[in-house]
Amino acid sequence: MGDKYLTLSELNLEGQLLGFIGGEPGKYKYLQLAVPSGNVEIKLPKELRRLLSSSLVPGQQIRVCGHSKVDSRTSKIKIKAYRVTPIDACPKQDLPPQTKARIMVCQKGGCLKRGGKGLLSELEKTLCDRGLLDKVTIEHTSCQKCCSSAPNCVLHLGKKKYKNIHPEAIASLLESHLTE
């Protein structure tokens, strides 16, 4: 008695993604690909299912590398992918979109009494003078639990966090971050 499936070959297909089928969202078992000869169902390995269903969109051009097998009883060909990559019209670097810097300024009693309002207005004035006000989001927060160092201000630049720095220093950090 032989194996039910006989391996045919490795293959590379290019076409338009029609969508995902089989299973629940994020765990789709198959993708449908439109190729010149018709539509093809391609099985996805478990490790690719969640990643692909969140990163690919129907209508996108993709390249699928996989293995094809034939069922010896029914003569149906089954394709299982091991790599799926988008095809871009022009190759681009995978740079994450530039997120706005975030400045969180405490607006609770202790910080306000110790100069929080002045800090906020000086910060807005400094950023406006340097043309940086539109490149940052200023959030008014409740207590940041650092009352001994009031007024509290936290600058988030990407994954970096700066606490209790002067508005001029914030502007300088923003300028150097945005020119990188």
Side-chain angles (χ1 to χ4, degrees), residues 91-104:
K92 63 176 186 210
Q93 294 179 344
D94 289 340
L95 295 174
Q98 184 97 18
T99 56
K100 274 190 168 183
R102 225 173 59 177
I103 302 172
M104 298 166 46

Side-chain angles (χ1 to χ4, degrees), residues 37-50:
S37 59
N39 297 343
V40 182
E41 276 187 16
I42 301 169
K43 187 167 185 177
L44 297 170
K46 287 180 182 175
E47 61 272 10
L48 289 181
R49 291 176 187 170
R50 186 173 304 278

